[in-house]
Amino acid sequence: MSTRRKKVAGLMAGVALLGIGGITPANAGVTAEGQFESHISWWTAPTESRRWWDNNDTWDYTGIYFQGCRSDDDYRGYNYASLRLWKDISGAPDRSKGTRDNYCGWVDYGDPDDPGNYYFALADVGNGDYIDIDYVKVAW
């Protein structure tokens, strides 16, 4: 699948999730290797997500979707959450797979290209110190 087609598929998945209130799979129209749904309760940097195994036997992008976003900044409100995708490396430093800002929607990180355990870590909050997200979907 071309890079352009993967980007379009990721964008369409995010739009579908926004339009239907989060009931459509994150990778609608794309055969995702895996996914999970959750929420975030008042995370501050550097809080980490749960780990998941990615075989990387498909060309699917890894992405994260947020819906119902709040921060502890009452005056300015939620702006973004800066999230870093990590590959867990046993007995060595974990490997960063990139940082993206989630403005309360869908964010793609590309295809990590190698099998392993992955997780997200909150690197920064746009406004305030904490984020609270009603609905989170991670797909790979």
Side-chain angles (χ1 to χ4, degrees):
M1 179 183 278
S2 72
T3 300
R4 183 175 185 278
R5 286 180 56 207
K6 286 195 281 188
K7 286 181 180 179
V8 169
L11 178 62
M12 293 304 292
V15 170
L17 280 168
L18 286 172
I20 307 177
I23 60 172
T24 302
N27 285 346
V30 177
T31 306
E33 184 177 327
Q35 65 182 23
F36 67 86
E37 298 173 354
S38 188
H39 68 281
I40 292 175
S41 294
W42 299 113
W43 277 17
T44 184
T47 305
E48 300 174 356
S49 72
R50 68 171 247 206
R51 267 86 168 147
W52 68 89
W53 176 259
D54 187 345
N55 290 329
N56 271 299
D57 56 2
T58 65
W59 291 1
D60 293 332
Y61 280 16
T62 297
I64 187 166
Y65 173 75
F66 283 178
Q67 181 179 334
C69 307
R70 291 178 296 286
S71 75
D72 62 321
D73 187 327
D74 292 333
Y75 179 69
R76 294 178 292 177
Y78 181 91
N79 186 17
Y80 68 87
S82 186
L83 298 164
R84 180 166 289 138
L85 176 63
W86 290 97
K87 180 179 179 189
D88 188 1
I89 308 294
S90 182
D94 293 348
R95 187 176 312 131
S96 174
K97 293 295 191 167
T99 303
R100 305 283 187 276
D101 293 337
N102 191 313
Y103 293 92
C104 203
W106 184 255
V107 177
D108 283 321
Y109 287 76
D111 183 359
D113 296 328
D114 53 342
N117 283 311
Y118 289 87
Y119 64 94
F120 285 102
L122 179 62
D124 191 23
V125 176
N127 291 334
D129 296 314
Y130 302 92
I131 60 169
D132 186 60
I133 312 297
D134 291 337
Y135 177 77
V136 176
K137 179 173 271 190
V138 177
W140 61 94

